[in-house]
Amino acid sequence: MTTADGRTHDFIVEIADTPEAQRKGLMYRESLAPDRGMVFLYDTPANQSFWMKNTYIPLDIIYVRADGTIARIYENTLPLSQTPLGSLEPVSMVFEIAGGRSAELGIAAGDIVALK
């Protein structure tokens, strides 16, 4: 991930590449290391919506456009909440990291996300 000021942050991610993995996401986890995350990839950009049902830890949910720019970040989401958190525009990737990491690292809308 590259921030507007040129800093780069690397994460080790799990890719939710099956329907079952996408349904489960990071549910039932009791921790997530600061350099870890999960990526959800979509072939066709579309509006996406995530919630925190059965998710015990706060997450930062990062919606990413097809060009790799961050569209929206929901920081420190509320564990176990069933409130939908929508992308509000078409995205091709959703990136989840430990709650609060975006702010700690200065990650913001407009920054670039790239998979290696």
Side-chain angles (χ1 to χ4, degrees):
M1 181 170 307
T2 304
T3 58
D5 63 4
R7 289 181 293 139
T8 300
H9 306 285
D10 292 327
F11 292 87
I12 298 167
V13 298
E14 296 174 55
I15 298 176
D17 56 359
T18 65
E20 176 57 28
Q22 289 184 348
R23 275 191 298 277
K24 186 175 180 187
L26 292 171
M27 290 180 177
Y28 309 108
R29 307 269 179 110
E30 297 195 11
S31 65
L32 183 64
D35 65 339
R36 301 289 176 143
M38 182 170 278
V39 172
F40 301 77
L41 301 172
Y42 302 97
D43 292 329
T44 303
N47 286 356
Q48 300 296 332
S49 185
F50 280 44
W51 63 359
M52 296 292 292
K53 181 178 180 180
N54 299 319
T55 305
Y56 303 141
I57 55 175
L59 299 173
D60 288 354
I61 299 175
I62 302 170
Y63 289 104
V64 183
R65 298 179 185 103
D67 68 359
T69 59
I70 295 174
R72 173 164 285 94
I73 301 173
Y74 290 93
E75 294 184 19
N76 271 315
T77 55
L78 181 64
L80 305 175
S81 172
Q82 293 187 42
T83 301
L85 304 169
S87 62
L88 306 180
E89 66 179 270
V91 296
S92 61
M93 181 188 324
V94 180
F95 182 38
E96 295 180 332
I97 58 177
R101 288 296 286 159
S102 296
E104 289 173 14
L105 299 173
I107 298 168
D111 290 348
I112 305 289
V113 175
L115 298 178
K116 295 180 184 180

